[in-house]
Amino acid sequence: MQGSSLKTLKLVRMYSIPVSDPRVSELITWYLETLQKAINIIWESIEWKYRFPRVEEKKGKLRVRVPDKLKVPELPKSKSFKKKLRDDLLRECPYAKHWVDAVIRTAYSIMKTWRKRYLKGRARKVKPRAKKRFARCKITLMKVNYEEKKIRITVKPGEYIEVSWSSRWFTRRVEGWRVGEVVLKDDRVLIPFKSTRIMEVRNVVAWDSNELSLDGFSPRTGFIMVDLKPLQSMKITYERKKRIAQSKGLKSIYEKYVTREHNREKDFMNKLAKGLTKLLPNTIHVFEDLGKEDLVSRRKTPKDRRKRNARTPWKLIQKKLSEKAITVKVSPKNTSRTCPRCGCVVKTRVGRLFKCPRCGFELDRQKLASINIYLKHSKMRGFPHSDEPEKTMKEELWVGVTPSGRSPMIWIPMKRGPESDEAKGRELGIKQYQAL
Ligand SMILES: [Zn+2]
């Protein structure tokens, strides 16, 4: 990529502050009950509209397309409905009125998520249940004092809960950041801090998420391989532990493993994202727009592949990275079977080596997708479809991640010639080799 451009990076950091105030739990209990009431009322008022098959023309042929769902749920949106809902809920509200508005907003967001999932065949026609104990605050219920680093949350008119983020371990990290809408939990308050940063973009790296690795490509750096094996083996270990606990009927131990696995995975991802942004500064990261559900869905993928995919938390990788760097998504269509040199789309997908029947281009299939993802992004931005990547295809950088809780990771700066620093790279655990 030539030259550079400026981009705005939106940053959000979540921190929690412990609270011990019985009023918080009381409020959450009311919030949850009211939320379920709101969901019930919205659910009763859903209109199930018929959707008719459509006739479409594709390549000169007419086709009838029958939708997956013949009846589509439409959520009530009218002002009069919302007013009545608000009035109904206000009747039994001992709290500030804005809490009812906060409940209604959460209810709609839960219902919208359910609707989306239902239409995609991922949720059943069952009314959603509000189970998680939390209360999402509205900004109108908060007063933030940035000088004293204090948030005052209105519970009832004239009654407040105060939390302060001064002299916390993260205080310096969010200096000058804005506070977003907080979430109340029984024992803590979650505070999202927001900030924007202008970033100079000088590099683009396209990532393909694979089972055991994250494979990246950039004309500047060549191939980058991030080893995910430590993460996988950690997950396999916990799968085994969980299975044993389950077979013995030890529910609390099972739960303990679930939490531990989750924490270790999150920790791994945080370190990975942090390391990648350090290793690749001023970079746009391009990913495939891949829903995990699509990969895990029964319809397309065989069972063992599904299980392996479920182990790789693509979405979490993307999410964590997007908190620290600029990320972009492109369509995953044909990325693993298009020839990056001539654009030919190959039908079959067998073997480790991709070979183009038209121009004879050959490449390890694992690396193919990342180049195609890169090209898709370049085209989107108006770069010509050239053979430019081939120049850099001969280099590869291996990046090692240490997932264990405490040990630090080694991330290597990439200012090095392919040959000269090879010995140094080896010393630091980086392997560099001819990719072709
Ligand atoms: Zn070709």
Side-chain angles (χ1 to χ4, degrees), residues 11-17 144-151 164-180 190-197 323:
L11 299 162
V12 180
R13 282 183 189 160
M14 261 317 211
Y15 292 107
S16 75
I17 290 175
V144 186
N145 184 335
Y146 285 96
E147 232 155 80
E148 290 173 35
K149 304 192 194 318
K150 266 188 198 157
I151 304 168
S164 163
W165 77 92
S166 74
S167 62
R168 293 275 158 191
W169 67 273
F170 57 82
T171 305
R172 283 189 55 204
R173 290 188 171 194
V174 292
E175 195 66 57
W177 293 42
R178 308 295 297 172
V179 170
L190 300 173
I191 312 171
F193 291 92
K194 296 175 180 178
S195 173
T196 52
R197 209 168 65 205
E323 286 166 8

Side-chain angles (χ1 to χ4, degrees), residues 276-403:
L276 285 177
T277 37
K278 221 169 151 186
L279 186 74
L280 303 158
N282 304 79
T283 298
I284 293 185
H285 299 268
V286 189
F287 285 95
E288 283 180 305
D289 194 356
L290 228 50
K292 187 173 168 181
E293 284 92 341
D294 293 328
L295 276 164
V296 194
S297 85
R298 266 148 218 290
R299 247 180 284 161
K300 290 166 205 157
T301 26
K303 197 182 164 197
D304 60 327
R305 169 100 184 135
R306 234 187 300 138
K307 208 168 175 182
R308 273 186 272 131
N309 284 335
R311 268 193 216 124
T312 311
W314 323 111
K315 275 192 172 171
L316 195 56
I317 294 176
Q318 292 184 23
K319 189 175 163 266
K320 288 289 171 198
L321 204 55
S322 70
E323 286 166 8
K324 294 186 166 65
I326 294 174
T327 54
V328 177
K329 285 181 191 171
V330 297
S331 149
K333 204 181 169 200
N334 293 341
T335 46
S336 55
R337 51 202 196 102
T338 304
C339 171
R341 187 195 275 155
C342 72
C344 171
V345 178
V346 181
K347 281 234 169 75
T348 51
R349 243 186 284 192
V350 249
R352 272 197 68 84
L353 197 71
F354 170 86
K355 197 171 175 190
C356 177
R358 196 151 82 192
C359 73
F361 175 83
E362 277 183 20
L363 185 72
D364 186 341
R365 203 173 285 275
Q366 192 113 339
K367 291 172 182 138
L368 183 71
S370 62
I371 294 185
N372 282 323
I373 293 165
Y374 173 81
L375 289 173
K376 263 193 189 184
H377 176 258
S378 317
K379 250 198 264 179
M380 212 167 72
R381 294 167 49 103
F383 288 110
H385 188 283
S386 72
D387 58 359
E388 180 194 22
E390 280 185 75
K391 283 179 214 154
T392 35
M393 270 182 211
K394 290 190 165 55
E395 281 178 35
E396 171 147 349
L397 183 79
W398 284 51
V399 179
V401 182
T402 314

